[in-house]
Amino acid sequence: MKFMKIFFTMLVSFLLALNTQAQRIKTVEGDLAELKNEKSINVEFTYDNMSVGKYDKESEYIEKKKAEYNSKEPGRGDSWEKNWVRDRKANFEPKFIELFEKSSGMTVSADAKYTLIFHTTSTEPGYNIYVSKKNAEIDADATIVLTADRSKKVATITVKNAPGRTFSGYDYATGDRITECYAIAGKKLGKHIK
C-alpha cells in the first residue's frame, strides 16, 4: 500500500511537471482553411535575431561558449561553434520536417504552392550534468505565405515552449536536446495545421 502511494505521488508530480512545460501553439493571424486541400508545403528555416538562454543575441552566447571551451582545451570552442551552426541543417531541420510530414499528412516540397517559414526566435539550450538537468526549449513564429508571392501571408502561428528532452536521460549533448525541440515543434505544428 505504501508503495502505491509513493508511485501515485511520483506519477502526479511527473504529470504536473509536464503540464507546466507544455508547448503552446496558436494561430495569431490569418486562417489555415486555405491549406485544407494542399498535399505539400515548402518549409524554410530562419534564425535571425534569435536569443539564446539569457543572451539577447546569439552572437553573444556563441562568443561566451567558444571562449569558455577554448580556455579549457585550445580549438575545442572553435569546433563547438561549427557544430552549433551545423546541427541546424544536419539535425534540427530534418527532424522537424520528418515529424511535420508524419503528423500533417503533407509532404515537404520546394515547388509547393505555399511556404511555411519557421523562424526560431528563442533557444534555451538547457543542460544535463548528471546530477542536475534543465530541458532545452525553443520559441518560434511560423508564417505561411504564398510561395510565388511572399508578400501574401496566409497565417502566422506562434510556437511557445517546444520542449527538448529525451526519456532515456542521455541527452548530455546540447544538439541532442535541441533536436528534440524541433521534433516536438514539427509534430505539434503539423497536427495544428492538419
Side-chain angles (χ1 to χ4, degrees), residues 43-48 88-89 92-98 100 108 115-120 182 186:
V43 177
E44 296 175 359
F45 297 87
T46 64
Y47 305 89
D48 304 335
R88 293 173 183 172
K89 295 266 184 237
F92 308 163
E93 296 170 15
K95 190 53 92 170
F96 176 96
I97 289 169
E98 174 190 341
F100 177 86
V108 173
T115 295
L116 184 152
I117 303 167
F118 191 83
H119 173 65
T120 305
Y182 283 89

Side-chain angles (χ1 to χ4, degrees), residues 2-100:
K2 185 176 180 179
F3 172 76
M4 290 302 288
K5 283 183 180 182
I6 292 171
F7 175 76
F8 181 72
T9 303
M10 289 176 62
L11 179 63
V12 169
S13 298
F14 175 74
L15 292 174
L16 287 173
L18 283 178
N19 191 38
T20 59
Q21 294 188 1
Q23 175 179 353
R24 295 182 308 276
I25 295 183
K26 182 179 178 183
T27 301
V28 293
E29 182 182 354
D31 186 2
L32 296 172
E34 213 168 310
L35 301 175
K36 186 177 180 181
N37 297 317
E38 295 301 313
K39 302 288 184 220
S40 65
I41 192 166
N42 182 33
V43 177
E44 296 175 359
F45 297 87
T46 64
Y47 305 89
D48 304 335
N49 302 314
M50 177 178 69
S51 65
V52 180
K54 65 181 180 180
Y55 298 92
D56 290 335
K57 295 180 180 177
E58 178 187 23
S59 59
E60 294 171 351
Y61 173 77
I62 289 172
E63 286 307 310
K64 181 211 172 266
K65 293 299 277 187
K66 187 164 102 171
E68 183 182 305
Y69 286 135
N70 278 336
S71 71
K72 293 176 183 176
E73 179 185 328
R76 182 176 174 204
D78 300 317
S79 177
W80 173 87
E81 180 182 21
K82 287 176 187 168
N83 288 334
W84 174 261
V85 175
R86 182 195 60 80
D87 275 342
R88 293 173 183 172
K89 295 266 184 237
N91 299 315
F92 308 163
E93 296 170 15
K95 190 53 92 170
F96 176 96
I97 289 169
E98 174 190 341
L99 290 171
F100 177 86

Side-chain angles (χ1 to χ4, degrees), residues 82-192:
K82 287 176 187 168
N83 288 334
W84 174 261
V85 175
R86 182 195 60 80
D87 275 342
R88 293 173 183 172
K89 295 266 184 237
N91 299 315
F92 308 163
E93 296 170 15
K95 190 53 92 170
F96 176 96
I97 289 169
E98 174 190 341
L99 290 171
F100 177 86
E101 286 181 326
K102 283 182 183 175
S103 60
S104 70
M106 302 172 93
T107 58
V108 173
S109 172
D111 60 354
K113 182 177 179 181
Y114 296 98
T115 295
L116 184 152
I117 303 167
F118 191 83
H119 173 65
T120 305
T121 57
S122 175
T123 297
E124 168 52 60
Y127 61 87
N128 187 345
I129 54 171
Y130 302 103
V131 295
S132 179
K133 178 178 180 171
K134 179 177 182 177
N135 293 327
E137 69 180 38
I138 61 170
D139 293 339
D141 293 326
T143 306
I144 300 170
V145 297
L146 195 61
T147 301
D149 183 359
R150 302 294 177 100
S151 67
K152 293 191 178 173
K153 191 186 300 186
V154 175
T156 300
I157 304 163
T158 57
V159 177
K160 298 289 181 194
N161 305 325
R165 59 182 173 259
T166 61
F167 290 108
S168 65
Y170 295 108
D171 55 358
Y172 301 111
T174 304
D176 293 344
R177 289 188 301 275
I178 299 173
T179 297
E180 283 303 306
C181 294
Y182 283 89
I184 296 295
K187 180 179 179 180
K188 300 291 184 174
L189 187 58
K191 285 182 180 179
H192 182 79

